[in-house]
Each structure stands twice: as structure tokens, then as C-alpha cells.
Amino acid sequence: MFRDNGVPQVHLIEDLTDTELIAKAQDGEREAFGELFRRHHAKAYGVARSIVQDTYTADDIVQEALIKAFLHLGTLMDAERFLPWLHRIVRNQAYTRLKTLWREQPLTRMFGLPASGRDDDSFGASEMERLIDRLRRRDLEPSDETDPAVRLARCEWYETIRQLLLCLSKRERAFFESYFFEQLSPKEIADLYRTTTGNVYMVLSRSKKKLMEERIRRDLDRYISHRRLGGTMEKMILKKPRVLHWKSPFSWSYEPWTTAGFNMYGILETTDKHELSISQVLGLTSQAFRLNIVRNSIHTSGATRYDWNVILPKAMYNLGFQCRVVSGGSAAMAKGAEPTAHASETLEEAFKLIQETVDRGGYVLSFDLTLPEFGIIYGYDDNSREFYVGDVNVSFHRKVDEHERLPYNRLGRTVTGELFVMAITGTVPVTKEGALLGALRLILDHANGKESVEESCANGLSAYEAWIDAFRNRTVDKHGNSYTTELAHDARRYAVRFLEETASEWEGTKDNKTVELLIEAARHYALCAESFQSLCEMFPFDGERSTPNDSDTANRAIVLLQDACDHEHNGISVLERLSDHLQQVKTSSAY
């Protein structure tokens, strides 16, 4: 642009409009975005400050929001909407930070209040309650600065804390307030109350546990009270599932190890598929073909370290059922996992699913009821607040009239902190061919590494290599190795039975190729099972076992694992051919 005298006119950056600055910023000019930052920083800060009520936190939020805005400026289609767009980013950042602060920061710092001083150890319930009441009253007062929804959420949260803290003793409250409200270190608390640091840690740990238990107790009180007001059934105990007692109408020659599969078989007892054999259930659900391990250690938890929320409903679909899952917690069992309190809504959903299913006469699959394995819930009692539960390995040795009970407040908190319940909610039409194709998809996806897997774990065919590496590195846990060996042996024996039984079902049809491929796959899996049988003799779960990290023992184990891997690989190759063949048959029959 030129003036009348022909001299170029120079625009300073601050003379440009927002629209012009945005256009330049979208072309990558940082100076233009810097000017936008300068112009709108104060308003953005005001938005953040009104939500979090803390100067330093608001500054951080604005910085983060402006960085996010710069990175996503290219997505802004209407330059005139820049300010509302920026404020929305700031609000989202502030609400996200507020949630984090509610979980992690002391109340005094969270809401910009001065920490209460303390000269002695006389701090008690009344002082803490006065602090919480002060916060509640302040947020109940009308204010132009704070979002009413945020104020209401805070008030509800304050009242929850006040009620929960009543379960602590005077000394526990004092330690709790010092640590969480004033952010004193355990050593500072020890000096203040003339005790040891170890005692402070112990009191804090005990307080945390008591608060967790109290929160669950209050949630249960509310839930059961609502059930009674609604006239809902207070007690229902079904017949003990046949897989949970020694007088079962069927028999097996050895104890079950594949507990997910056995318990899925167990919950079928109340359905029209109750006559399916265990082999058919383990095969069609792919449980007879699974191999999951924890790398390096071969820890016992490896067998259950996969995504139950995805795999198990798919497995039940092959049997002709739709299922609903409620879950939460520490994604299968991590070594040393600590039981946690799950969200109230999640626990309530789990309770409803269990009780509604039992009321309809159905069983519920769950995890970690008596030990970190799958089990079945077949009854409940609101008066005693107990579920009637069982696990095939523990309960199988008990009599029909012997019941194991799990207190309501222990659901999802027994050993692993893992909450998982799955119940049948409906049926789907599945043909014999469709069920087999579905099973093959699960089997092949697992074997070929198409399932999601934790970084510390390996599954399918790659699990063999990881297992062999653990022996080479001499890092094998002897207990976990024996357990995993027994489980893999158990599963592969059922894989053989499933393939042979399925081949028998197909005999007499015109599809001879399916029969031939099933028989061929069964031969490979029989050889795989033999290799695991030899490993079981080296590392029996019960009794005298060889030391896995001994050089000679490890080398022999590596040879047997490689043999098992080769046989399974051959079996998978045959099953891939079978899957292709069945798909071709399905396609051709559609025309």
C-alpha cells in the first residue's frame, strides 16, 4: 500500500485487526500470534481465574490454552469467532485442571485460602468442619466470577468430605489435615506431633483405608435404601451352579485351569445352551487356544492380562448370546496391585446388573471373588449384604449346600482391585458354521498378535518367544511358570477335544474338506499338548519341581517350548486354511 506521495506505508503489528493477525498467524507468523496473545491475555486470564479461583493456576491454564490455540489455529474457519473460540479452549483447560486439583491438591491451595496455622496437637473435628463450612458458605454466595455449576459441585464435594471425615479419630483427622490440607511432609507431621515418621505413614495409610471403606459403606446404604423404597427384591439365591460343587452331573479327569472358559460354561447352565460340552465352550470361545504371559517373569497374572471387556463378549456371541459388561480398576492384575474404591456410579451399575440377572434366574461371570481368577455370582442378600459366589478351583471341592459369600463392600476389592461383571442380556441367531467362523477369527487374531496387549505382556505365538527369552535370561518365576505351564497344557488338551468333536459333527455332510482340516489341526495340537505335558512333569504346580533358572533345566525347557511353538504354529496354519475354506463356502452359498 502506498501513500499519495508514493512512499510505502508501513503498518505496525499492533495496528492490524484481529482478522488480519489471525490470517498472518495461520501462515505461521509467530509475531502476529504474539500480538493476539497480548491483546486477549487479560480476558483469557479472567475466564480461567473465575473457574479455578487461584492466580498461579489461572496463569498456567492461560499459557496452556494459548499454546493449544496456536497449534490448532488452522482449524478456525471464521476469524471473527476467534475470541469465543479462545475462551472455550480456556474454559475446557480450566475444568480439566479443576478436576485434577480436586483429586490431588490441598483445599487451602486449591481455592486460594490461607492455610490454617497450628501451634499444638489440639486440632480436632470442629476446626476441620469450620474450614469446610467456610468454603461451602463462600461458594453458596452469589458471585459473578464463578460458574454456578462449579460452585454447586464444590459444595457437594465439601459436604461429602465432611461426612467422610467423621469416621476418623481425632488424631487421624489431625494427621490427615496436615498432610492433605496443609501439605506438610510426613517428617514435618512427625515433628509437629512428636512421633515417628513411620507412625505417620501408618496413620495416613489407615486413614485412607477407613475413608475408602466409609465411602463405600455410605454408597451401599444409599443404594439399598433406594431398592427397599422401590419395593425391589431383597434376597435371591439360585441353585448352586454345577461347576461349583463336587456332585456335578458331569465329570472331568483333572482339575480345571482355564477358569474364564469353565465359568463361561457355568453361566450357560440357566440357558438353552446348557447341553454344550466343556470342550465346545472352550473351543468356540477361543479359551482353549489362548496363551498370555508376563514377559521376563512369567508371573501368574499373565493368564488374565488381556482385554476382557472386548474378548469375552465376543466369545459369548459365538455361543449365541449378547452380554453386558460393567468393569473398572487396574486392567487385569498387576503385580502388587492395591485394591481401590471404584466410582459410585460404576459400583451401582455392577450391583444392578448382578441383582437384575439373578432375579431373572441367571448367573453372572465375575473376577477375583475368592482369588484372582474368574468365578460366578449366583445369589445375593441385601440384609446381610453378601453375594453368593464361587470359583471352579476353590468351590469344586465343596458340597452342594456349602456356600461361599462375598461381602458387598469387597466386590472389585478382594486382591487385585479389579471390578468386572458380565451377564447374558439376550440371544442372537448363530449357525453352526457362523459359530465356528467366529471362533476361528478369535483364535487367529490372538495367535497372530492382532489383539491389543499390555507392553509388559505377550500373547499368541509371540508369547512362546517371550517365554523362551525369560528362560534364556534366567528370570523365570518358578510359581508363575508352573501355573502358566499347567494352564497351557489344560487348554491345549481341550483344543484337541474341541477339534475332534467338531470334526465328528461335520461328518456325514458334503463338506469333507472341513473334516479333514479339523482332524489335521487336532493332530498338531495333540503334539503341542504332549510338549506341555513334558513341561508339566518338569514344573508341576503341586509337588517337587525343577528350578527353572538352573542352566540345564532352562535349556531343556527351551527345547520343549520351541517344540510346542512349532506344533502350535503348524496348527494355526491349518486353522487359517480352514477359515479361508469356510469363508469361501459361505460366499458361494450366498449366490
Side-chain angles (χ1 to χ4, degrees):
M1 185 178 292
F2 293 86
R3 295 181 184 176
D4 293 339
N5 59 7
V7 178
Q9 181 180 7
V10 179
H11 280 301
L12 296 176
I13 193 77
E14 54 263 33
D15 293 334
L16 298 177
T17 65
D18 278 2
T19 301
E20 291 170 327
L21 288 171
I22 290 166
K24 288 179 176 294
Q26 287 177 329
D27 288 336
E29 291 189 24
R30 292 176 180 270
E31 187 181 6
F33 191 83
E35 176 60 14
L36 286 169
F37 181 109
R38 186 191 65 76
R39 288 184 189 181
H40 300 293
H41 179 275
K43 288 184 178 179
Y45 170 82
V47 172
R49 179 73 173 79
S50 70
I51 294 173
V52 298
Q53 300 287 296
D54 180 77
T55 301
Y56 300 108
T57 304
D59 272 332
D60 289 343
I61 287 167
V62 172
Q63 293 286 344
E64 293 167 3
L66 288 169
I67 290 172
K68 181 171 284 190
F70 179 76
L71 294 174
H72 294 86
L73 194 59
T75 64
L76 180 63
M77 304 302 294
D78 183 358
E80 293 184 359
R81 298 289 301 165
F82 173 77
L83 196 56
W85 177 73
L86 175 62
H87 285 181
R88 186 169 67 252
I89 293 175
V90 172
R91 282 194 297 272
N92 290 341
Q93 289 291 111
Y95 287 133
T96 299
R97 180 66 70 89
L98 191 63
K99 291 176 183 177
T100 303
L101 288 170
W102 284 356
R103 291 193 300 266
E104 300 175 356
Q105 301 297 328
L107 292 178
T108 51
R109 180 170 162 193
M110 187 187 307
F111 300 112
L113 296 175
S116 58
R118 179 185 293 114
D119 298 319
D120 53 38
D121 62 354
S122 62
F123 181 85
S126 60
E127 184 174 342
M128 184 175 290
E129 289 175 3
R130 280 198 301 271
L131 174 60
I132 293 173
D133 286 340
R134 176 185 167 194
L135 291 166
R136 288 183 69 250
R137 285 196 303 273
R138 191 196 69 182
D139 274 326
L140 283 171
E141 294 173 358
S143 171
D144 295 332
E145 292 185 340
T146 307
D147 187 328
V150 174
R151 291 206 310 272
L152 180 60
R154 285 191 187 124
C155 291
E156 292 175 351
W157 187 61
Y158 301 149
E159 181 60 22
T160 298
I161 290 177
R162 190 182 72 80
Q163 292 292 330
L164 288 177
L165 291 173
L166 294 175
C167 74
L168 300 181
S169 68
K170 180 178 178 179
R171 187 172 180 81
E172 287 169 342
R173 284 191 183 193
F175 283 27
F176 183 89
E177 188 274 348
S178 298
Y179 186 75
F180 290 102
F181 282 64
E182 296 186 6
Q183 279 202 311
L184 297 184
S185 69
K187 185 176 186 313
E188 289 171 326
I189 297 172
D191 292 341
L192 185 63
Y193 291 100
R194 298 178 183 179
T195 185
T196 64
T197 303
N199 185 53
V200 172
Y201 277 113
M202 182 183 69
V203 172
L204 289 173
S205 177
R206 183 173 65 232
S207 299
K208 179 182 176 183
K209 184 177 180 180
K210 286 176 72 172
L211 288 168
M212 185 189 299
E213 297 284 355
E214 179 64 11
R215 200 210 78 182
I216 293 173
R217 186 188 69 79
R218 288 178 176 275
D219 288 344
L220 284 174
D221 283 346
R222 177 180 53 80
Y223 174 73
I224 292 173
S225 175
H226 286 171
R227 277 176 58 82
R228 285 175 178 161
L229 287 173
T232 312
M233 197 175 301
E234 295 183 0
K235 181 176 181 179
M236 172 63 79
I237 305 170
L238 303 178
K239 182 182 71 173
K240 192 173 185 179
R242 59 188 175 184
V243 296
L244 299 184
H245 59 82
W246 62 276
K247 284 190 176 180
S248 297
F250 62 93
S251 63
W252 45 61
S253 56
Y254 44 85
E255 291 190 15
W257 292 86
T258 314
T259 63
F262 272 88
N263 285 293
M264 281 193 281
Y265 170 82
I267 67 173
L268 295 181
E269 185 178 345
T270 61
T271 73
D272 62 352
K273 299 292 179 70
H274 62 276
E275 293 184 357
L276 286 175
S277 70
I278 295 178
S279 303
Q280 288 172 311
V281 173
L282 292 181
L284 291 173
T285 61
S286 80
Q287 290 295 317
F289 298 85
R290 298 191 65 83
L291 181 62
N292 299 77
I293 68 164
V294 177
R295 296 180 185 274
N296 300 319
S297 66
I298 321 299
H299 188 260
T300 52
S301 66
T304 55
R305 297 278 280 274
Y306 60 92
D307 193 346
W308 312 330
N309 298 332
V310 174
I311 301 300
L312 298 187
K314 283 184 178 180
M316 291 296 291
Y317 190 92
N318 290 337
L319 300 175
F321 297 102
Q322 289 179 326
C323 292
R324 184 180 170 217
V325 169
V326 177
S327 66
S330 53
M333 179 184 172
K335 189 174 183 180
E338 180 182 350
T340 57
H342 302 284
S344 302
E345 297 82 3
T346 305
L347 273 175
E348 186 168 327
E349 280 186 48
F351 274 63
K352 283 182 178 178
L353 180 60
I354 292 167
Q355 293 177 322
E356 288 173 0
T357 303
V358 172
D359 288 347
R360 292 195 307 267
Y363 298 144
V364 178
L365 182 72
S366 188
F367 186 79
D368 198 11
L369 299 172
T370 57
L371 47 84
E373 292 281 6
F374 288 94
I376 295 175
I377 300 174
Y378 61 94
Y380 68 87
D381 186 342
D382 285 343
N383 295 314
S384 63
R385 299 192 179 192
E386 292 175 319
F387 291 115
Y388 285 70
V389 305
D391 167 81
V392 292
N393 279 316
V394 174
S395 306
F396 182 68
H397 300 285
R398 303 193 187 280
K399 297 178 181 179
V400 179
D401 57 352
E402 286 184 306
H403 299 287
E404 291 169 278
R405 297 173 176 84
L406 178 75
Y408 280 1
N409 63 1
R410 300 306 299 170
L411 183 69
R413 300 184 59 244
T414 303
V415 176
T416 67
E418 184 70 32
L419 173 66
F420 176 84
V421 293
M422 183 178 81
I424 294 171
T425 55
T427 60
V428 289
V430 178
T431 63
K432 180 175 69 172
E433 294 79 8
L436 182 55
L437 263 175
L440 289 171
R441 277 194 293 271
L442 285 178
I443 293 165
L444 297 176
D445 284 351
H446 173 75
N448 296 322
K450 293 183 179 179
E451 284 181 11
S452 61
V453 61
E454 294 180 43
E455 187 177 348
S456 62
C457 299
N459 62 13
L461 293 173
S462 65
Y464 284 102
E465 183 179 351
W467 200 345
I468 289 170
D469 284 343
F471 272 108
R472 286 178 178 148
N473 298 328
R474 307 296 190 261
T475 57
V476 175
D477 173 75
K478 62 181 182 180
H479 184 76
N481 178 67
S482 294
Y483 175 82
T484 307
T485 300
E486 294 277 12
L487 191 149
H489 180 225
D490 177 61
R492 297 311 176 268
R493 285 190 293 187
Y494 278 108
V496 175
R497 291 186 184 184
F498 166 69
L499 294 168
E500 290 175 343
E501 287 179 13
T502 307
S504 297
E505 288 180 18
W506 245 265
E507 286 179 356
T509 68
K510 296 179 180 180
D511 192 357
N512 293 326
K513 186 171 182 179
T514 292
V515 176
E516 292 171 2
L517 290 172
L518 285 166
I519 292 173
E520 184 181 351
R523 284 199 297 266
H524 291 302
Y525 273 95
L527 293 172
C528 181
E530 287 179 13
S531 296
F532 277 115
Q533 173 64 43
S534 298
L535 283 164
C536 287
E537 291 169 2
M538 289 176 62
F539 308 112
F541 188 74
D542 294 317
E544 188 105 11
R545 62 175 75 113
S546 302
T547 304
N549 295 317
D550 172 75
S551 181
D552 290 340
T553 302
N555 289 334
R556 282 191 291 135
I558 288 171
V559 171
L560 289 169
L561 277 173
Q562 189 60 62
D563 286 344
C565 179
D566 292 343
H567 295 311
E568 178 134 22
H569 190 279
N570 292 335
I572 289 297
S573 296
V574 176
L575 293 180
E576 286 173 338
R577 287 158 48 202
L578 175 59
S579 179
D580 291 342
H581 167 67
L582 289 173
Q583 194 61 53
Q584 289 172 3
V585 171
K586 179 181 177 182
T587 303
S588 62
S589 64
Y591 291 98

